[in-house]
Amino acid sequence: MSEQELKLHVPQHSRHKIQKYLGKADKISLRAMYFDTSDRQLAKAKVAIRLRQEGDEWVQTLKMAGANSLSRIEMNHRRQGPVLDLSLYAGTAAETILAKLTKPLELRYETDVLRLYKIQRTRTGRVEIAYDTGFIRAGRLELPLNEVEFELKSGDVQAIFDIGLRWIKQYDLILDTRTKSHRGDALASMMAKINEVDDEFKPHVESQETARFWAERKARPYALEKHLNSTQALCRLTEECIEQIAMNAAYLAEVDTAGVLSVASPEHVHQLRIGMRRLASNWRLFNGAAHLPDLALQTQLKQFLAQFGATRDTDVMLESIMPSLQKAGMPNIEIDHYQGRSATDMARDSRFQVFLVKLLAWVATTPLTDPITEDNMGKESNQPISNPPESGTIDFGKEVNTTENDTNLNAHETDAATKFALPSHTTIADNSVDSSTNTNAPATTEALSSISDQGIITTTGLEVATDMPAMSIIPLIPSKQAQQGLRKTLEKRLNKWNKAIISHWKHNDRKNIEAYHDLRKRIKRMRYGLNVYEGVEGHANLNAYVKRLAHAQEVFGALNDHATALNYFTSITDKHPEAWFAVGWLSAQLTDLKREADVALKRLPKKIIFD
């Protein structure tokens, strides 16, 4: 019922090598029809339903969102032919969604795929490697498919990352979080828009919709249930940030358009960096309360953020400052733009792609219980929280045998664990479900029978083993953070951040421009933290505070742009003496902006009142 898979785009130069590697793999033709209402009611509910011809057989599949971005609930039913049967979902989780449809289902888009696939066994699990080539079609619009999927068939989810990370390094693969249904739905929506207008307007609308199809992926509001603990909340937040980063990186890397259409833009870089900054802010927000990625990942985030920033900072600064300088009468100067690596090259770099997949691996394997501390939201640490070895930390340099974690048990404890402990990860090896079969009873009966053979459980009831050792139970003592709830946890941290902002000048020199830059970063981090708080169910209304903070962020942002411009023009005065005009004008502007920034800072309350 549940599948976990990692999808990676295969660039042109690696396709022949992968086909050669999979030369003896099984091959199958897959042609699928995807259905939805004309107003996309299923897509909005994150549901996809299809009929697929797999060789000579037909399979009906419904997929729903799973526990995380790697997981999806999948229901498969074999069919006699291309007939969609919604009655199969009576009594399932999908029934509620399908029963609420107000319009009939219709064919929205199709896929035509040739799949090469094989099973790869590792120490941690069995993974199906599937290389798909083909097309997604909606009307006359077509999008190419060249992707490899690593789907967990049994074992630990770490197995798909072990293989996926090796393949990224070997074949320069690119993370693509978009599913086939995501792309097909977008293509169908584009075709519908084009069909709505007369023929004379179609070229213009098609151009508009093409730009919309490849538009940057912006930040979306968070949605957090109030009962989540800090680690669970951070994993949810991290998934949203990863998707924003990865989708913009995929467009920059031209996953579907290389050699055909140039879609990469400075706005993709901007949104990618926003995703990175949101992620860094969230790590700081939950530092001391939740499990965090290791120091290496935290350091890499800062490094990649700086690298992508170098491709855009000068251009943005000049775009925001140059018009004012020219209006003030500055002589024309030929500006030297950034000449380093392009954002497209950096997005394609296997080191960056490995970083993204390691972030996904952290989400999939981190323990969903908070670390035990005296006060989880007490003193904010500058150091990351290290996960203990048994918490699912991944060593990406080698395959890990999960049985090795039990070496600390003595023989007596090992025997008891064998009899009574449930495995930490359970996986359904075969996701296919025959429409004529009860999906629950056979699995349950088989499980009970296998345990009954050990003399522990019978189908008629429980039998306590006579050699069962004496047992005691250590009770769970909820942490302070767990008792106070997610909302209170965030309120405590946000007030601490606010206090650091308003008391900034007690510890810093106003003559140092870097102190202004540091304060700007604190204000921006505070805004990202408020975005998280606003996503928590039942959060308090902070509109008045948000408006004051937004104004302060705007003023400090302008101050930063002018300071950056001043440094730039000062650096080129030897080559361009006319740049002294800009130096003088910018210096005067900075004096005014500093006064304005001080006023904006004083308008912030000493303490945030959470109603």
Side-chain angles (χ1 to χ4, degrees), residues 2 24 96 207 211 309 344 400 423 584 586:
S2 177
K24 295 182 179 180
T96 302
S207 177
T344 292
V400 180
L586 288 166

Side-chain angles (χ1 to χ4, degrees), residues 20-296:
K20 184 177 180 180
Y21 173 80
L22 296 174
K24 295 182 179 180
D26 293 323
K27 183 185 301 184
I28 189 170
S29 175
L30 303 171
R31 300 186 62 186
M33 298 177 289
Y34 287 76
F35 300 85
D36 202 343
T37 62
S38 59
D39 54 353
R40 306 176 54 252
Q41 293 180 38
L42 289 182
K44 292 174 183 177
K46 297 183 179 180
V47 173
I49 187 168
R50 75 180 181 215
L51 276 171
R52 188 166 74 180
Q53 187 176 16
E54 303 178 358
D56 296 328
E57 298 182 337
W58 285 91
V59 178
Q60 179 176 317
T61 300
L62 184 143
K63 294 188 179 185
M64 304 173 63
N68 55 52
S69 57
L70 292 171
S71 305
R72 286 183 296 173
I73 298 172
E74 179 176 313
M75 288 178 269
N76 294 313
H77 297 86
R78 300 195 179 279
R79 308 293 296 132
Q80 296 299 318
V83 178
L84 193 65
D85 185 0
L86 300 184
S87 68
L88 297 171
Y89 306 114
T92 72
E95 180 181 11
T96 302
I97 296 173
L98 294 174
K100 291 181 180 178
L101 296 180
T102 58
K103 293 185 178 182
L105 294 179
E106 59 184 40
L107 177 63
R108 288 274 290 171
Y109 52 93
E110 304 172 81
T111 59
D112 193 346
V113 172
L114 178 64
R115 171 170 291 180
L116 301 176
Y117 63 100
K118 62 175 291 187
I119 296 294
Q120 181 75 46
R121 289 176 172 81
T122 74
R123 293 181 180 181
T124 53
R126 293 170 61 251
V127 176
E128 180 183 83
I129 302 173
Y131 176 39
D132 289 349
T133 57
F135 298 92
I136 302 174
R137 296 190 184 94
R140 60 178 176 80
L141 299 180
E142 204 170 73
L143 191 68
L145 273 174
N146 287 281
E147 63 186 20
V148 61
E149 299 178 359
F150 303 98
E151 181 179 346
L152 184 68
K153 290 299 182 180
S154 64
D156 195 285
V157 69
Q158 180 182 327
I160 64 176
F161 296 110
D162 290 341
I163 297 178
L165 287 165
R166 289 199 297 269
W167 277 54
I168 289 175
K169 297 173 183 177
Q170 186 172 355
Y171 300 112
D172 297 323
L173 305 182
I174 298 167
L175 177 65
D176 193 349
T177 58
R178 302 170 303 163
T179 63
K180 293 182 179 70
S181 57
H182 177 282
R183 284 169 282 181
D185 175 63
L187 206 64
S189 296
M190 179 179 175
M191 192 71 249
K193 291 285 187 182
I194 295 171
N195 288 336
E196 288 176 357
V197 300
D198 296 333
D199 290 346
E200 60 181 309
F201 301 113
K202 288 187 186 298
H204 175 68
V205 173
E206 185 167 342
S207 177
Q208 284 185 324
E209 291 303 313
T210 298
R212 194 193 313 275
F213 188 93
W214 300 111
E216 65 279 357
R217 201 306 200 158
K218 296 182 179 180
R220 294 173 182 168
Y222 300 123
L224 300 172
E225 294 87 351
K226 60 184 178 182
H227 67 268
L228 296 177
N229 65 33
S230 292
T231 300
Q232 290 170 332
L234 182 57
C235 286
R236 292 272 193 91
L237 299 171
T238 302
E239 284 187 308
E240 158 59 22
C241 294
I242 292 174
E243 185 171 331
Q244 183 182 7
I245 298 167
M247 283 188 66
N248 285 296
Y251 293 155
L252 286 170
E254 300 180 323
V255 290
D256 297 323
T257 59
V260 179
L261 177 68
S262 178
V263 300
S265 72
E267 192 59 26
H268 288 105
V269 181
H270 179 52
Q271 292 299 326
L272 178 149
R273 294 182 70 211
I274 286 177
M276 288 182 167
R277 288 197 295 265
R278 293 169 79 203
L279 186 56
S281 173
N282 292 340
W283 289 347
R284 290 292 297 270
L285 184 65
F286 285 95
N287 190 9
H291 290 286
L292 299 185
D294 60 30
L295 181 59

Side-chain angles (χ1 to χ4, degrees), residues 18 26 120 144 153 177 234 264 275 314 384-385 394 455 473 487 495 498 504 517 527 547-548 553 576 608:
I18 291 181
D26 293 323
Q120 181 75 46
K153 290 299 182 180
T177 58
L234 182 57
T314 301
I385 299 173
I394 298 176
I473 299 176
R487 176 179 163 179
N495 252 321
N498 183 71
H504 180 77
H517 295 339
R527 188 67 190 93
K547 288 180 180 179
R548 294 184 181 187
Q553 183 177 349
H576 301 285
I608 306 173

Side-chain angles (χ1 to χ4, degrees), residues 564-582:
T564 303
L566 177 60
N567 289 337
Y568 174 79
F569 283 106
T570 302
S571 70
I572 65 173
T573 51
D574 290 341
K575 183 178 180 181
H576 301 285
E578 57 271 35
W580 283 110
F581 177 94

Side-chain angles (χ1 to χ4, degrees), residues 542-554:
L542 298 177
N543 286 344
Y545 177 81
V546 170
K547 288 180 180 179
R548 294 184 181 187
L549 188 73
H551 175 66
Q553 183 177 349
E554 182 180 348

